[in-house]
């Protein structure tokens, strides 16, 4: 990323406390956001509503997911939920993605495509990742489901530790921190267990589109990367592999979307949409 591209521009009014804080950090050589990465209160309200509807959609999946079900049926639930709530499923037709939701089973890291042939078995760990828009505002979140309620101790630990990674990343996300502070907190926790943090995919700004700047990396060094300031809305969505952090695209996927762990060991992911506030992050996908 070039430093020049990002400059904090004053709004033309008296500089606020936040303006002064950001300009000071910029002077210290920190990469600062641009003003368009900070949402207005009206936009935040819209995103909050979309986040709530998106969570309702995942709750509907949670009520119905069961062994013997295929992942196309999960897509059907999400489509139906969107229809009933005046929401647009954001993934459908996004850069050629053919379905409304991502369903990623076991060694599938993310972007799994729902299909009739993928029948859920007891002990499968499945990520369901939904993004939708309401009135042009976007919410994005994902959860893990353990099919049949139990799996191997190894996979159970992976699912639990990945959720802890999300929570620790959110805890590290303080106003005027950097993206590297979040990534570091996640990486340290995952690597304690010998897990690999996926690097080829990341969290992102969200709100007026599904994917906005900046990228939120799930690894890194404290104090590096862009500063996060109140009013920014972004996801944290660590993908944690039981083995190597490397990934590849499934050559059997005609759409070229499905991401698989490099050693085909299980992978887990949890995601929330967050608003940065004056004190820390607020979850918008509850
Ligand atoms: N929901 C995903 C994310 O967290 C985006 C999926 S894009 C798709 O960023 F096209 F694969 F659906
Ligand atoms: Co998502
Ligand atoms: Co996302």
């Amino acid at each position: 990323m070039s430093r020049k591209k990002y400059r904090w521009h004053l709004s033309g009014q008296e500089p606020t406390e936040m303006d002064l804080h950001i300009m000071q950090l910029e002077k210290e050589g920190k990469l600062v956001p641009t003003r368009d990465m900070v949402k207005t209160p009206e936009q935040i309200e819209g995103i909050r509503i979309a986040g709530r509807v998106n969570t309702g959609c995942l709750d509907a999946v949670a009520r119905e997911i069961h062994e013997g079900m295929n992942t196309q049926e999960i897509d059907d639930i999400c489509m139906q939920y969107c229809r009933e709530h005046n929401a647009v499923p954001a993934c459908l037709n996004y850069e050629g993605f053919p379905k409304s939701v991502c369903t990623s089973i076991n060694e599938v890291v993310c972007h799994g495509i729902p299909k009739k042939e993928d029948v859920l078995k007891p002990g499968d760990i499945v990520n369901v990742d939904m993004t939708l828009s309401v009135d042009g505002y976007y919410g994005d979140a994902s959860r893990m489901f353990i099919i049949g309620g139990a799996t191997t101790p190894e996979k159970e630990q992976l699912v639990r530790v990945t959720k802890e990674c999300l929570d620790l990343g959110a805890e590290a996300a303080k106003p005027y921190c950097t993206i590297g502070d979040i990534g570091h907190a996640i990486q340290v926790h995952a690597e304690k267990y010998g897990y690999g943090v996926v690097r080829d995919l990341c969290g992102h700004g969200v709100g007026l589109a599904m994917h906005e700047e900046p990228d939120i990396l799930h690894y890194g060094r404290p104090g590096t990367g862009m500063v996060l300031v109140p009013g920014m809305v972004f996801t944290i969505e660590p993908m944690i592999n039981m083995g190597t952090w490397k990934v590849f695209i499934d050559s059997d996927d005609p759409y070229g979307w499905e991401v698989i762990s490099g050693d085909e060991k299980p992978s887990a992911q949890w995601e929330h949409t967050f608003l940065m506030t004056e004190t820390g992050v607020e979850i918008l996908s509850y």
Side-chain angles (χ1 to χ4, degrees), residues 165-204:
C165 283
L166 173 58
D167 295 342
L168 289 167
E171 230 172 86
K174 297 292 178 213
Y176 309 103
C177 79
T178 70
I179 292 173
D181 295 332
I182 297 175
H184 183 73
I186 292 169
Q187 185 178 11
V188 164
H189 192 60
E191 291 182 352
K192 243 189 270 170
Y193 293 84
Y195 296 156
V197 179
V198 172
R199 295 171 186 233
D200 297 12
L201 299 122
C202 56
H204 48 89

Side-chain angles (χ1 to χ4, degrees), residues 66-142:
H66 60 271
E67 65 183 79
M69 180 189 228
N70 68 62
T71 53
Q72 176 58 49
E73 295 175 83
I74 296 175
D75 196 74
D76 296 341
I77 293 166
C78 296
M79 274 302 270
Q80 176 70 16
Y81 195 89
C82 284
R83 265 194 298 275
E84 290 168 358
H85 292 82
N86 285 317
V88 180
C91 293
L92 185 60
N93 299 323
Y94 174 80
E95 294 184 11
F97 192 84
K99 298 289 173 174
S100 295
V101 63
C102 297
T103 51
S104 305
I105 307 173
N106 298 328
E107 73 282 0
V108 181
V109 172
C110 64
H111 303 160
I113 299 174
K115 47 178 97 64
K116 284 207 184 86
E117 301 74 59
D118 279 351
V119 177
L120 301 177
K121 302 184 303 299
D124 280 345
I125 58 170
V126 188
N127 175 272
V128 178
D129 187 351
M130 186 65 188
T131 311
L132 57 72
S133 68
V134 178
D135 292 332
Y137 297 108
Y138 289 74
D140 184 7
S142 83

